[in-house]
Amino acid sequence: MNPAEAVALVTGANKGLGKEIARQLGAQGVFVLLGARDRERGQRAEAELKGQGLKVQYVPLDVVDPQSVEQAAQQVDKQFGRLDILVNNAGIALDWFPPSELDTEALKKTYETNVFGVFRVTKAMLPLLKRSKAGRIVNMSSALGSLAFHTDGMFKDANRLLAYCSSKAALNAITVAFAKELRNTSIKVNSANPGYTATDMNQNQGPKTVEQGARTPVRLALLGDDGPTGGNFSDEGVVPW
Ligand code: NAP
């Protein structure tokens, strides 16, 4: 659909990749709702992007809080009556150590945001996405969520971040399941891998800039009707599950 007529919601849009995805979508003319759990941080991002001439609006949204998610869905419904693009971007990484040092609470906390949060927001927004001419759901995944890379690829010898990596593998399963359920609709659901990008999540260690990291999620958010669904993509192409 014409980006200038589209309405998008990006979760965790107050900084990092989420804010840059919002900026790049906004630059294409999309009206972008900036989901953020903290009012001040959300409003600051809104002011910054509005200052660049973009159509954006802060929406209170804590993905782990069912009431907050429901209220955000009600607000989008009231204001627009539909949603064209959902980018499930909000995520956390807590366990920068081997699996044996991970405790169940940190595992649960990670899943609460990266898995249950994505599922909760997707379910709440689905009725609105079904009213779009061409709904797009982009789930922010990671190469670290690829079991193929862990067993026989670039992470064969790495063994940290069990909670984070497995949460992204579960998120990929959510992508596949919703894509299958929605395959006879105009909604497309894909996982996006930004690549290792300098943000607060990794103390700005990643070699990619947010401008570069946002490219694949933005491309998937603006996919044409002939684009794929149920896939896992990076700038380099298809990422193995
Ligand atoms: P970031 O700079 O730490 O940003 C994370 C964002 O998520 C922040 O806006 C944060 O809000 C928000 N968030 C966390 N918990 C939330 C919640 N419960 N409700 C709403 N928002 C919440 O990290 P990032 O690197 O931009 O990561 C964005 C996404 O890309 C994540 O899903 C991450 O897993 C994925 N990713 C990143 C990389 C990378 O190299 N950076 C690589 C692969 C995938 P606050 O400011 O309030 O904390």
Side-chain angles (χ1 to χ4, degrees):
M1 78 182 294
N2 179 356
E5 291 166 9
V7 179
L9 170 65
V10 181
T11 68
N14 56 287
K15 68 173 182 179
L17 284 160
K19 187 173 76 177
E20 177 59 21
I21 291 166
R23 196 187 64 75
Q24 291 187 16
L25 287 175
Q28 304 254 10
V30 177
F31 191 108
V32 188
L33 297 161
L34 309 170
R37 60 177 161 176
D38 179 89
R39 176 170 297 276
E40 202 185 310
R41 291 196 283 270
Q43 287 177 338
R44 206 180 312 138
E46 180 192 69
E48 181 188 327
L49 297 181
K50 272 189 175 158
Q52 297 174 17
L54 307 177
K55 293 180 290 178
V56 299
Q57 181 188 319
Y58 155 65
V59 173
L61 179 52
D62 184 338
V63 304
V64 306
D65 177 353
Q67 205 187 337
S68 164
V69 173
E70 206 36 59
Q71 279 170 359
Q74 282 169 12
Q75 184 180 333
V76 179
D77 190 10
K78 215 166 130 194
Q79 213 175 326
F80 299 98
R82 70 170 210 284
L83 184 65
D84 302 303
I85 297 165
L86 169 64
V87 182
N88 283 309
N89 166 78
I92 56 172
L94 305 173
D95 56 323
W96 300 88
F97 39 71
S100 59
E101 291 173 33
L102 175 64
D103 61 54
T104 312
E105 282 316 305
L107 182 62
K108 278 188 184 166
K109 201 170 172 197
T110 306
Y111 274 56
E112 198 47 68
T113 303
N114 296 6
V115 183
F116 307 144
V118 169
F119 176 74
R120 184 179 292 119
V121 173
T122 302
K123 265 208 85 171
M125 300 298 161
L126 202 50
L128 295 164
L129 286 154
K130 284 183 172 168
R131 290 192 216 134
S132 169
K133 274 186 268 176
R136 302 288 178 260
I137 301 174
V138 180
N139 292 328
M140 284 295 273
S141 190
S142 168
L144 284 165
S146 164
L147 296 179
F149 283 166
H150 280 281
T151 48
D152 195 22
M154 64 166 105
F155 302 128
K156 186 157 63 44
D157 300 316
N159 207 2
R160 299 189 300 167
L161 288 160
L162 164 66
Y164 180 77
C165 298
S166 61
S167 75
K168 294 298 185 183
L171 170 140
N172 286 340
I174 291 174
T175 295
V176 170
F178 274 103
K180 274 204 264 180
E181 181 175 339
L182 297 166
R183 73 179 145 205
N184 294 323
T185 73
S186 57
I187 302 176
K188 296 184 187 299
V189 191
N190 290 292
S191 285
N193 295 246
Y196 196 23
T197 304
T199 66
D200 287 351
M201 180 172 278
N202 51 41
Q203 291 78 47
N204 292 290
Q205 298 289 308
K208 279 185 148 179
T209 63
V210 285
E211 288 80 4
Q212 294 168 328
R215 243 179 245 156
T216 287
V218 167
R219 179 172 63 80
L220 295 172
L222 298 173
L223 273 183
D225 293 339
D226 56 348
T229 188
N232 189 18
F233 300 98
S234 71
D235 286 356
E236 284 74 43
V238 173
V239 178
W241 301 116

